Short mmCIF file of all heavy atoms in Angstrom, two decimals:
data_model
loop_
_atom_site.label_atom_id
_atom_site.label_comp_id
_atom_site.label_asym_id
_atom_site.label_seq_id
_atom_site.Cartn_x
_atom_site.Cartn_y
_atom_site.Cartn_z
N LYS A 814 -11.68 -11.09 7.68
CA LYS A 814 -12.32 -12.26 8.30
C LYS A 814 -12.95 -13.15 7.23
O LYS A 814 -12.89 -14.38 7.32
CB LYS A 814 -13.36 -11.79 9.33
CG LYS A 814 -13.90 -12.93 10.17
CD LYS A 814 -14.82 -12.40 11.25
CE LYS A 814 -15.32 -13.57 12.10
NZ LYS A 814 -16.23 -13.13 13.13
N SER A 815 -13.55 -12.52 6.23
CA SER A 815 -14.23 -13.30 5.16
C SER A 815 -13.22 -13.88 4.17
O SER A 815 -13.63 -14.68 3.32
CB SER A 815 -15.25 -12.43 4.45
OG SER A 815 -14.57 -11.47 3.63
N GLY A 816 -11.98 -13.45 4.23
CA GLY A 816 -10.98 -13.95 3.30
C GLY A 816 -11.02 -13.26 1.94
O GLY A 816 -10.47 -13.73 0.98
N ARG A 817 -11.74 -12.14 1.88
CA ARG A 817 -11.83 -11.38 0.61
C ARG A 817 -10.45 -10.98 0.10
O ARG A 817 -10.18 -10.98 -1.07
CB ARG A 817 -12.71 -10.16 0.83
CG ARG A 817 -13.09 -9.46 -0.42
CD ARG A 817 -14.26 -8.51 -0.16
NE ARG A 817 -14.51 -7.79 -1.39
CZ ARG A 817 -14.39 -6.46 -1.51
NH1 ARG A 817 -14.06 -5.74 -0.46
NH2 ARG A 817 -14.63 -5.89 -2.67
N PHE A 818 -9.60 -10.58 1.04
CA PHE A 818 -8.19 -10.33 0.74
C PHE A 818 -7.40 -10.46 2.02
O PHE A 818 -7.96 -10.55 3.12
CB PHE A 818 -7.95 -8.96 0.08
CG PHE A 818 -8.48 -7.78 0.83
CD1 PHE A 818 -7.79 -7.25 1.90
CD2 PHE A 818 -9.69 -7.22 0.48
CE1 PHE A 818 -8.30 -6.15 2.59
CE2 PHE A 818 -10.22 -6.11 1.15
CZ PHE A 818 -9.51 -5.61 2.22
N THR A 819 -6.08 -10.55 1.87
CA THR A 819 -5.14 -10.64 3.00
C THR A 819 -4.31 -9.39 3.02
O THR A 819 -3.91 -8.90 1.97
CB THR A 819 -4.23 -11.87 2.84
OG1 THR A 819 -5.07 -13.04 2.76
CG2 THR A 819 -3.27 -12.01 3.99
N MET A 820 -4.08 -8.84 4.18
CA MET A 820 -3.16 -7.72 4.33
C MET A 820 -1.91 -8.19 5.02
O MET A 820 -1.96 -8.89 6.01
CB MET A 820 -3.78 -6.60 5.14
CG MET A 820 -4.77 -5.78 4.40
SD MET A 820 -5.24 -4.29 5.32
CE MET A 820 -5.71 -3.25 3.95
N GLU A 821 -0.79 -7.80 4.43
CA GLU A 821 0.49 -8.04 5.04
C GLU A 821 1.12 -6.69 5.38
O GLU A 821 0.83 -5.70 4.68
CB GLU A 821 1.41 -8.85 4.14
CG GLU A 821 0.95 -10.26 3.96
CD GLU A 821 2.01 -11.13 3.35
OE1 GLU A 821 3.19 -10.77 3.35
OE2 GLU A 821 1.63 -12.23 2.87
N PHE A 822 1.93 -6.66 6.39
CA PHE A 822 2.49 -5.40 6.85
C PHE A 822 4.01 -5.51 6.89
O PHE A 822 4.55 -6.49 7.40
CB PHE A 822 1.94 -5.05 8.23
CG PHE A 822 0.46 -4.82 8.20
CD1 PHE A 822 -0.44 -5.88 8.29
CD2 PHE A 822 -0.06 -3.55 8.02
CE1 PHE A 822 -1.80 -5.70 8.21
CE2 PHE A 822 -1.42 -3.35 7.92
CZ PHE A 822 -2.30 -4.43 8.04
N ALA A 823 4.66 -4.50 6.33
CA ALA A 823 6.13 -4.43 6.34
C ALA A 823 6.53 -3.18 7.11
O ALA A 823 5.99 -2.10 6.84
CB ALA A 823 6.68 -4.37 4.92
N PRO A 824 7.46 -3.29 8.05
CA PRO A 824 7.83 -2.16 8.88
C PRO A 824 8.85 -1.21 8.24
O PRO A 824 9.19 -0.17 8.80
CB PRO A 824 8.43 -2.80 10.12
CG PRO A 824 9.01 -4.10 9.60
CD PRO A 824 8.11 -4.51 8.50
N SER A 825 9.32 -1.56 7.05
CA SER A 825 10.33 -0.71 6.37
C SER A 825 10.28 -0.97 4.88
O SER A 825 9.75 -1.98 4.41
CB SER A 825 11.74 -1.06 6.89
OG SER A 825 12.08 -2.40 6.47
N ALA A 826 10.89 -0.03 4.12
CA ALA A 826 10.96 -0.19 2.66
C ALA A 826 11.76 -1.44 2.26
O ALA A 826 11.30 -2.18 1.41
CB ALA A 826 11.51 1.08 2.04
N PRO A 827 12.93 -1.70 2.86
CA PRO A 827 13.66 -2.91 2.50
C PRO A 827 12.85 -4.19 2.73
O PRO A 827 12.86 -5.11 1.91
CB PRO A 827 14.92 -2.87 3.35
CG PRO A 827 15.15 -1.40 3.61
CD PRO A 827 13.75 -0.84 3.74
N ALA A 828 12.13 -4.25 3.86
CA ALA A 828 11.30 -5.42 4.15
C ALA A 828 10.19 -5.56 3.10
O ALA A 828 9.84 -6.66 2.68
CB ALA A 828 10.69 -5.32 5.55
N ALA A 829 9.62 -4.43 2.68
CA ALA A 829 8.56 -4.46 1.66
C ALA A 829 9.11 -4.95 0.31
O ALA A 829 8.44 -5.72 -0.37
CB ALA A 829 7.97 -3.07 1.50
N LEU A 830 10.29 -4.49 -0.06
CA LEU A 830 10.89 -4.92 -1.32
C LEU A 830 11.13 -6.44 -1.32
O LEU A 830 10.85 -7.13 -2.31
CB LEU A 830 12.22 -4.18 -1.57
CG LEU A 830 12.09 -2.71 -1.96
CD1 LEU A 830 13.45 -2.03 -1.91
CD2 LEU A 830 11.46 -2.56 -3.32
N GLU A 831 11.58 -6.93 -0.18
CA GLU A 831 11.81 -8.37 -0.03
C GLU A 831 10.52 -9.13 -0.17
O GLU A 831 10.44 -10.14 -0.89
CB GLU A 831 12.46 -8.62 1.33
CG GLU A 831 12.90 -10.05 1.55
CD GLU A 831 13.61 -10.19 2.91
OE1 GLU A 831 14.57 -9.46 3.18
OE2 GLU A 831 13.16 -11.06 3.68
N ARG A 832 9.46 -8.68 0.50
CA ARG A 832 8.18 -9.38 0.46
C ARG A 832 7.54 -9.29 -0.93
O ARG A 832 6.98 -10.28 -1.40
CB ARG A 832 7.26 -8.78 1.53
CG ARG A 832 5.99 -9.61 1.69
CD ARG A 832 6.31 -11.00 2.19
NE ARG A 832 5.11 -11.83 2.12
CZ ARG A 832 5.01 -12.98 1.49
NH1 ARG A 832 6.02 -13.49 0.85
NH2 ARG A 832 3.88 -13.65 1.47
N ALA A 833 7.63 -8.15 -1.59
CA ALA A 833 7.06 -7.99 -2.92
C ALA A 833 7.74 -8.95 -3.91
O ALA A 833 7.10 -9.49 -4.81
CB ALA A 833 7.22 -6.55 -3.39
N ALA A 834 9.01 -9.20 -3.71
CA ALA A 834 9.74 -10.13 -4.59
C ALA A 834 9.34 -11.58 -4.30
O ALA A 834 9.35 -12.41 -5.21
CB ALA A 834 11.25 -9.95 -4.40
N GLU A 835 8.96 -11.87 -3.05
CA GLU A 835 8.59 -13.23 -2.67
C GLU A 835 7.21 -13.64 -3.21
O GLU A 835 7.00 -14.80 -3.55
CB GLU A 835 8.58 -13.38 -1.13
CG GLU A 835 9.97 -13.34 -0.53
CD GLU A 835 9.94 -13.26 0.99
OE1 GLU A 835 8.84 -13.20 1.59
OE2 GLU A 835 11.01 -13.27 1.58
N ILE A 836 6.30 -12.70 -3.27
CA ILE A 836 4.93 -13.02 -3.76
C ILE A 836 4.98 -12.96 -5.28
O ILE A 836 4.79 -11.89 -5.86
CB ILE A 836 3.89 -12.03 -3.18
CG1 ILE A 836 3.94 -11.99 -1.66
CG2 ILE A 836 2.48 -12.43 -3.64
CD1 ILE A 836 3.07 -10.91 -1.05
N LYS A 837 5.31 -14.06 -5.90
CA LYS A 837 5.60 -14.05 -7.34
C LYS A 837 4.37 -14.10 -8.25
O LYS A 837 4.41 -13.61 -9.35
CB LYS A 837 6.53 -15.20 -7.71
CG LYS A 837 7.99 -14.92 -7.38
CD LYS A 837 8.48 -13.73 -8.16
CE LYS A 837 9.93 -13.46 -7.89
NZ LYS A 837 10.35 -12.16 -8.32
N ASP A 838 3.29 -14.72 -7.81
CA ASP A 838 2.13 -14.79 -8.70
C ASP A 838 1.38 -13.46 -8.68
O ASP A 838 1.72 -12.56 -7.89
CB ASP A 838 1.25 -15.99 -8.35
CG ASP A 838 0.75 -15.92 -6.94
OD1 ASP A 838 0.44 -14.82 -6.43
OD2 ASP A 838 0.64 -17.01 -6.29
#
Side-chain angles (χ1 to χ4, degrees):
K814 188 175 183 181
S815 72
R817 190 164 176 243
F818 55 81
T819 301
M820 282 190 153
E821 290 195 17
F822 297 85
S825 67
L830 288 169
E831 186 178 306
R832 189 62 189 125
E835 290 171 358
I836 305 172
K837 281 298 183 195
D838 59 36

